[in-house]
């Protein structure tokens, strides 16, 4: 009951343009949470889009939610289309540009192909984040805990601006899209989170070759994190990253790292 | 007269550092020796770099040529942390080497008012200069050392760090120099730990929180606490990655510092690990370098038998 209440509170606090992750323990937990999600949106007068499977035995969703079959998303994914690019065709009523606010629940367990690599998953999540920030929709990405390795869930949590429900798996840092090509990095990028941070930087650069990273909410970055930043940029041809609002310690580490003298593709403003 | 080009400490190579000890007593002998060294360096076309405490620099400014051939470096860049010595000289001579100029340095440290831990580490850094610049282009560094009021044993300890000695007019091989291995003074007795934590990867964040909270409670400025927390995190990360996956942190206050000691089962075989400024192409090797740069003092003791103990010091604010 406590978990359900915490989840409902998290859904309720989710603001327009935000992108949160949710780690339900089981399929049943997902179904119960999804109903809460839809019911809350209905009560607020928002439109609801569920991208995922209908729970078995359930024909109707409360809140008149529109449901997009994951099979269609999967087919589109293989054609290089992102889920949100299907919305105008498959769910025109959920177009964020018209009408009441839109809330999207994406059941990632059914959306992501089994052979999806972590960098692809990161790219998809950053895409959700950018779409949410740009459209004003709020997006919750659900990852069933029994379908993913714990370390993947921890890392994928970093690609979301927030988290709802069970907090046993929390992100070390968070990437939040401010606008296309401009991301805010909050939290801690230590060696535990460094590889996820590298994936996030590569994902952001894949969307836009020039990226601004706001570091004012970054509490700590260590040597492994700085190295990931630099090497991820080097791996991406023509990439350029401008770091903004870093605290004095982070700026000093950058000067001490030796990267400042040779790395023209990363600049600290 | 002795030619200026000092003999190389290594028979195999003419490159590297000529590290020269200059024990003196009194200002007259100091100036006589330093002026002779400078004149010979300038006669050879070298540029002279001076890093000395401000009161010494004032005397030298009034004595040495003011035609731009002698450069006074910002000794404040070294602060009170001996860990900054090698990196600073790396940077200073690197700039001149890129300009294609021969360099003769003069390095005098402030020895008075230092703790036993600082003095011990300062001597070790003097010795490490020989290793750090063994492959560098040829340059010389004169280290004047005021023997007045010093115990013979302390003068000898400094002499052991220098392969050459300046007799006021020329260079001689230093008979007391110890090429290695370096004999460390034992670490001072640890204080009563106020906090102790066994850590592995799961405790990395709580460890940082514990250290940060303790330092802030001691009214240490937040920016220094943030630096120190990064240093502790880097050393703990090394335990996790290279020291058997775990370690023990003990933290206490003593001698005007917050001391954080991290112990693990690993062994640091390279005495220069973390002492040399990294370049932008290298993978890894920055964590310990960061720790040396971000703390007020770092002491490392590492053996195959006993593992590694690293003490990080953060000075407490002076009482008004």
């Amino acid at each position: 009951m406590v978990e359900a209440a915490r989840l409902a509170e998290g859904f309720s606090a989710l603001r327009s343009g935000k992108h949160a992750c949710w780690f339900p323990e089981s399929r049943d937990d997902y179904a119960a949470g999804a109903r809460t999600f839809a019911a809350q949106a209905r009560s607020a007068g928002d439109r609801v889009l569920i991208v995922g499977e209908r729970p078995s035995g359930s024909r109707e969703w409360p809140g008149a939610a529109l449901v997009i079959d994951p099979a269609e998303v999967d087919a589109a994914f293989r054609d290089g289309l992102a889920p949100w690019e299907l919305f105008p065709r498959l769910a025109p009523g959920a177009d964020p540009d018209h009408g009441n606010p839109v809330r999207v629940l994406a059941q990632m367990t059914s959306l992501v192909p089994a052979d999806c690599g972590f960098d692809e998953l990161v790219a998809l999540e950053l895409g959700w984040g950018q779409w949410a920030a740009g459209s004003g929709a709020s997006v919750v990405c659900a990852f069933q805990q029994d379908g993913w390795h714990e370390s993947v869930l921890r890392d994928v949590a970093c690609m979301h601006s927030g988290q709802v429900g069970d907090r046993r798996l929390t992100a070390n840092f968070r990437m939040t899209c401010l606008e296309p090509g401009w991301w805010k990095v909050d939290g801690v990028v230590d060696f535990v989170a460094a590889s996820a941070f590298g994936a996030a930087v590569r994902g952001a650069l894949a969307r836009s070759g020039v990226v601004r990273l706001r570091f004012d909410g970054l509490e700590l970055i260590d040597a492994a994190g700085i190295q990931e930043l630099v090497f991820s940029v080097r791996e991406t041809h023509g990439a350029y990253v401008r770091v903004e609002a870093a605290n004095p310690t982070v700026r000093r580490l950058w000067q001490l790292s030796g990267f400042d003298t040779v790395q023209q593709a990363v600049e600290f403003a | 007269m002795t030619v200026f080009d000092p003999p190389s400490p290594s028979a195999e190579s003419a490159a590297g550092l000529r590290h020269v000890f200059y024990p003196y007593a009194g200002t007259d002998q100091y100036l006589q020796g330093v002026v002779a060294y400078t004149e010979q360096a300038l006669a050879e076309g070298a540029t002279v770099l001076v890093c000395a405490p401000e009161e010494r620099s004032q005397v030298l400014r009034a004595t040495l040529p003011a035609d731009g051939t002698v450069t006074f470096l910002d000794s404040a860049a070294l602060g009170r942390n001996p860990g900054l010595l090698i990196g600073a000289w790396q940077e200073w001579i690197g700039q001149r080497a890129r300009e294609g100029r021969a360099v003769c340095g003069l390095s005098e440290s402030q020895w008075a008012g230092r703790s036993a831990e600082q003095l011990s580490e300062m001597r070790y850094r003097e010795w490490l200069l020989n290793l750090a610049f063994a492959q560098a282009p040829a340059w010389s560094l004169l280290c004047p050392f005021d023997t007045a009021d010093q115990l013979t044993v302390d003068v000898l300890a400094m002499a052991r760090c220098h392969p050459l000695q300046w007799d006021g007019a020329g260079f001689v091989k230093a008979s007391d120099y110890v090429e290695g291995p370096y004999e460390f003074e034992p670490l001072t007795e640890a204080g009563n730990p106020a906090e102790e934590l066994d850590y592995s990867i799961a405790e990395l964040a709580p460890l940082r929180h514990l250290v940060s909270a303790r330092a802030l409670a001691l009214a240490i400025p937040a920016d220094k606490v943030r630096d120190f927390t990064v240093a502790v995190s880097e050393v703990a990360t090394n335990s996790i990655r290279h020291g058997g996956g775990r370690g023990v942190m003990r933290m206490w206050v003593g001698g005007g510092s917050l001391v954080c000691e991290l112990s693990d089962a690993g062994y640091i075989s390279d005495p220069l690990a973390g002492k040399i400024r990294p370049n932008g192409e290298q993978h890894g090797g920055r964590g310990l370098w960061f720790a040396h740069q971000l703390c007020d003092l770092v002491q490392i003791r590492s053996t195959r038998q006993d593992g590694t103990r690293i003490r990080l010091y953060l000075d407490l604010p002076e009482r008004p």
Side-chain angles (χ1 to χ4, degrees):
Chain A
M1 290 300 287
V2 173
E3 283 300 321
R6 182 180 298 158
L7 181 62
E9 192 181 332
F11 286 149
S12 173
L14 200 60
R15 296 286 168 257
S16 167
K18 294 299 179 190
H19 171 223
C21 59
W22 167 34
F23 300 139
E25 282 195 22
S26 64
R27 203 180 186 87
D28 288 347
D29 284 349
Y30 167 74
R35 287 192 183 87
T36 302
F37 181 83
Q40 262 190 14
R42 179 187 183 187
S43 132
D46 294 349
R47 292 166 298 163
V48 186
L49 184 59
I50 309 283
V51 189
E53 296 169 333
R54 290 173 186 276
S56 57
S58 169
R59 286 177 175 277
E60 299 294 331
W61 284 92
L66 285 165
V67 179
I68 293 182
D69 188 332
E72 296 201 56
V73 177
D74 186 55
F77 186 86
R78 293 186 188 284
D79 289 339
L81 282 176
W84 52 90
E85 292 175 304
L86 302 176
F87 294 169
R89 177 167 60 87
L90 299 177
D95 183 355
D97 292 336
H98 303 94
N100 291 346
V102 174
R103 299 191 195 193
V104 176
L105 175 59
Q107 186 192 19
M108 299 304 290
T109 309
S110 66
L111 291 185
V112 178
D115 57 353
C116 178
F118 184 68
D119 275 17
E120 284 179 282
L121 182 58
V122 168
L124 182 58
E125 286 301 341
L126 295 181
W128 276 119
Q130 184 170 315
W131 179 76
S135 67
S138 58
V139 177
V140 174
C141 295
F143 293 81
Q144 248 172 252
Q145 288 186 35
D146 52 10
W148 304 82
H149 195 277
E150 192 176 301
S151 63
V152 174
L153 293 180
R154 266 189 211 285
D155 287 348
V156 84
C158 300
M159 314 305 155
H160 297 79
S161 58
Q163 186 166 347
V164 294
D166 186 345
R167 295 296 184 99
R168 279 172 293 180
L169 299 171
T170 55
N172 290 289
F173 69 92
R174 293 198 179 279
M175 288 278 285
T176 303
C177 185
L178 300 174
E179 58 183 59
W182 192 16
W183 299 84
K184 190 171 190 306
V185 185
D186 297 324
V188 170
V189 181
D190 59 7
F191 101 98
V192 178
S195 63
F197 181 59
V201 171
R202 289 191 296 276
L205 286 169
R207 306 192 69 75
S208 154
V210 175
V211 165
R212 295 162 64 193
L213 296 178
R214 273 195 72 86
F215 272 13
D216 50 334
L218 186 67
E219 295 166 37
L220 178 144
I221 187 168
D222 70 1
I226 289 177
Q227 179 167 294
E228 273 292 332
L229 168 64
V230 170
F231 288 176
S232 296
V233 175
R234 284 183 186 174
E235 281 176 25
T236 312
H237 180 69
Y240 171 81
V241 168
R242 178 182 169 89
V243 176
E244 302 170 341
N247 70 42
T249 298
V250 174
R251 299 179 69 84
R252 189 169 173 203
L253 293 179
W254 174 248
Q255 288 158 2
L256 290 168
S257 71
F259 290 125
D260 64 322
T261 57
V262 296
Q263 181 50 253
Q264 302 300 321
V266 178
E267 182 192 15
F268 272 57
Chain B
M1 186 178 177
T2 311
V3 294
F4 181 73
D5 184 23
S8 169
S10 161
E12 293 81 34
S13 170
L17 169 65
R18 277 78 162 158
H19 194 199
V20 189
F21 186 45
Y22 177 40
Y24 67 90
T27 304
D28 288 347
Q29 189 182 4
Y30 171 77
L31 283 177
Q32 184 185 15
V34 168
V35 168
Y37 171 82
T38 305
E39 285 176 347
Q40 289 191 32
L42 295 177
E44 293 290 324
T47 185
V48 175
L49 306 180
V50 177
C51 181
E54 184 50 33
E55 59 194 53
R56 275 284 185 231
S57 291
Q58 284 179 13
V59 174
L60 293 175
R61 277 194 187 92
T63 309
L64 299 178
D67 56 1
T69 53
V70 178
T71 302
F72 287 84
L73 303 166
D74 178 17
S75 62
L78 298 179
R80 291 178 59 78
N81 179 0
L84 305 183
L85 180 72
I86 294 174
W89 277 106
Q90 231 187 320
E91 190 168 329
W92 289 331
I93 69 161
Q95 289 168 359
R96 273 71 186 184
R98 284 190 289 277
E99 296 164 5
R101 303 167 71 182
V103 175
C104 294
L106 187 153
S107 175
E108 186 168 12
S109 300
Q110 181 74 52
W111 295 89
R114 301 280 197 161
S115 66
E117 292 84 0
Q118 284 176 323
L119 291 172
S120 168
E121 196 60 25
M122 286 167 74
R123 283 190 285 267
Y124 180 47
R125 295 311 168 115
E126 284 292 336
W127 183 82
L128 274 181
L129 282 167
N130 305 306
L131 297 186
F133 292 99
Q135 305 303 321
W139 69 293
S140 70
L141 184 64
L142 185 77
C143 301
F145 186 76
D146 190 350
T147 57
D149 302 326
Q150 294 281 355
L151 298 174
T152 305
V153 67
D154 290 334
V155 178
L156 181 61
M158 275 298 285
R160 284 179 176 145
C161 303
H162 296 79
L164 299 167
Q165 190 159 323
W166 178 248
D167 64 8
F171 300 96
V172 293
K173 289 265 186 185
S175 55
D176 295 319
Y177 173 58
V178 177
E179 194 168 343
Y182 188 82
E183 289 184 21
F184 288 98
E185 287 103 346
L187 291 175
T188 52
E189 194 75 18
N192 285 328
E195 276 92 13
E196 182 166 331
L197 179 71
D198 290 355
Y199 60 87
S200 62
I201 193 166
E203 287 78 33
L204 195 52
L207 170 67
R208 285 193 295 258
H209 179 74
L210 187 65
V211 171
S212 173
R214 180 78 171 118
L216 288 170
L218 291 165
I220 297 171
D223 56 343
K224 290 199 72 177
V225 173
R226 204 169 46 216
D227 286 0
F228 192 66
T229 305
V230 172
V232 171
S233 186
E234 292 289 5
V235 173
T237 296
N238 282 349
S239 298
I240 294 161
R241 297 180 73 178
H242 312 297
R246 58 195 321 107
V248 179
M249 186 279 288
R250 296 183 186 87
M251 186 164 50
W252 66 91
V253 172
S257 299
L258 173 64
V259 187
C260 187
E261 180 183 273
L262 298 105
S263 312
D264 62 49
Y267 169 55
I268 301 173
S269 59
D270 181 1
L272 290 174
K275 314 289 197 313
I276 304 288
R277 181 179 293 277
N279 66 57
E281 303 300 331
Q282 76 184 55
H283 284 250
R286 291 180 178 79
L288 205 47
W289 163 254
F290 284 175
H292 279 291
Q293 303 300 306
L294 296 173
C295 296
D296 290 315
L297 181 69
V298 177
Q299 289 184 293
I300 299 177
R301 299 292 185 270
S302 186
T303 65
R304 286 189 195 281
Q305 299 76 29
D306 301 327
T308 297
R309 264 200 300 171
I310 299 182
R311 286 186 183 175
L312 308 174
Y313 293 74
L314 179 59
D315 290 346
L316 302 179
E318 289 182 11
R319 290 180 182 165

